[in-house]
Amino acid sequence: MVSYMGHIDLSARQVDSGRATQIRDNVAAVVEEIRDTEAKAGRSCGDVRLLAATKTRTVGEIMAAIDAGIRLIGENRPQEVTAKAEGLQALCAERGLNLKADDGVGFHLIGQLQANKISKVLPYVGTIESVDNLQLAERISRRAVAHGLDVGMLLEVNESGESAKSGCEPEAAMELACTMASLPGLKLQGLMTIGAHVDDEGVIRRGFEHLRTLRDGILQSGESGTENCRELSMGMTHDMKYAIREGSTIVRVGTAIFGPRAFI
């Protein structure tokens, strides 16, 4: 069990008005920054979706973000998915929103997934962004078929080459994506990466640019199941402007919406 989960009630549904206002104002500021960057990059308004990264955030805080207009949330840890899912489903239903639905609030897993946690998260998340090897994809496929589900999937690629980061090697991504796309119960929706942890804009942008090139190559391959590989989940609070300029369709933002984490 993750240590901070013993110190915070992640399922708490209440949030005080001051905190809710803070989150609402932060969401508005991030959306404005995204739209401004889209315009400067010559992209259409709304090309980029904002995913609220909700690690260590309570149900009440997440709902404050949803009430502020967020329609895509992402959890890093399966334990948090299961701790929050019931409350999120109930509160979304009260607002006429369907959690996990494309026309409601999309629910993504953006962190690593262990094989023994697959069945625990499949009932709740619609897309797993962190699939980086064929063995994991095959296991998700088998569980999805057993549950009668179609699960969205993004292939995670380690564009920075940093050993501390997960993701497949860029050289293996094309073949791996095409193989994963053919698996039953899975829908290949795109690619995901974490930007290089450096201060050099050129280095960061080259990684994002390469992911876009990979995505385009997969789309153009004509391989079965690759026709919907359109998403580029890249860019976080500190580098989302670079990612948007390089074609990102989803930016994953936590700190700029919720503030610094109280727990790691």
Side-chain angles (χ1 to χ4, degrees):
M1 183 61 67
V2 180
S3 60
Y4 62 80
M5 293 182 69
H7 302 280
I8 183 171
D9 180 8
L10 295 172
S11 66
R13 302 186 185 189
Q14 300 299 317
V15 62
D16 68 64
S17 60
R19 178 67 171 139
T21 297
Q22 179 188 54
I23 291 170
R24 181 197 65 202
D25 292 346
N26 288 348
V27 168
V30 174
V31 170
E32 182 177 2
E33 187 174 8
I34 290 171
R35 301 298 171 242
D36 180 63
T37 307
E38 284 176 332
K40 289 177 178 176
R43 301 184 63 185
S44 299
C45 179
D47 273 358
V48 182
R49 292 190 292 163
L50 172 58
L51 178 150
T54 54
K55 178 181 176 182
T56 78
R57 313 304 178 177
T58 67
V59 168
E61 290 174 308
I62 297 167
M63 290 308 305
I66 290 171
D67 287 340
I70 289 292
R71 289 297 178 267
L72 195 56
I73 62 174
E75 282 292 346
N76 282 76
R77 291 174 169 150
Q79 297 96 318
E80 291 200 46
V81 171
T82 55
K84 303 173 189 179
E86 182 180 339
L88 289 171
Q89 286 177 329
L91 295 180
C92 281
E94 288 179 4
R95 292 158 172 79
L97 296 170
N98 186 4
L99 186 67
K100 188 182 169 181
D102 291 340
D103 59 350
V105 178
F107 198 177
H108 289 201
L109 182 72
I110 58 177
Q112 291 305 291
L113 177 60
Q114 296 172 321
N116 64 350
K117 299 292 195 303
I118 294 172
S119 291
K120 293 183 182 297
V121 302
L122 285 190
Y124 306 117
V125 300
T127 298
I128 301 171
E129 295 198 12
S130 51
V131 182
D132 63 0
N133 65 83
L134 183 57
Q135 183 181 45
L136 177 60
E138 289 173 335
R139 287 176 172 173
I140 297 170
S141 169
R142 289 194 293 270
R143 306 288 173 78
V145 170
H147 285 275
L149 299 171
D150 284 320
V151 180
M153 175 187 65
L154 273 63
L155 172 62
E156 183 175 4
V157 183
N158 186 349
E159 285 287 357
S160 71
E162 296 167 72
S163 59
K165 289 182 176 152
S166 55
C168 73
E169 296 294 327
E171 297 78 12
M174 174 74 75
E175 181 178 357
L176 189 53
C178 292
T179 302
M180 289 178 172
S182 68
L183 295 173
L186 297 185
K187 297 181 294 184
L188 180 66
Q189 297 176 334
L191 306 177
M192 184 266 260
T193 197
I194 298 173
H197 188 61
V198 296
D199 294 325
D200 188 325
E201 176 182 344
V203 170
I204 298 170
R205 290 185 64 168
R206 279 194 293 275
F208 292 151
E209 178 187 21
H210 188 260
L211 195 76
R212 184 185 74 239
T213 301
L214 274 175
R215 188 274 315 271
D216 293 346
I218 293 166
L219 271 175
Q220 293 164 11
S221 72
E223 294 290 332
S224 176
T226 62
E227 61 276 2
N228 294 313
C229 181
R230 302 186 180 279
E231 301 288 4
L232 288 173
S233 178
M234 57 188 195
M236 298 188 286
T237 294
H238 61 288
D239 59 9
M240 71 174 186
K241 288 185 178 180
Y242 303 152
I244 292 169
R245 290 170 188 151
E246 295 300 337
S248 177
T249 64
I250 298 173
V251 290
R252 309 179 305 271
V253 177
T255 302
I257 292 174
F258 298 106
R261 294 188 185 120
F263 300 92
I264 303 298

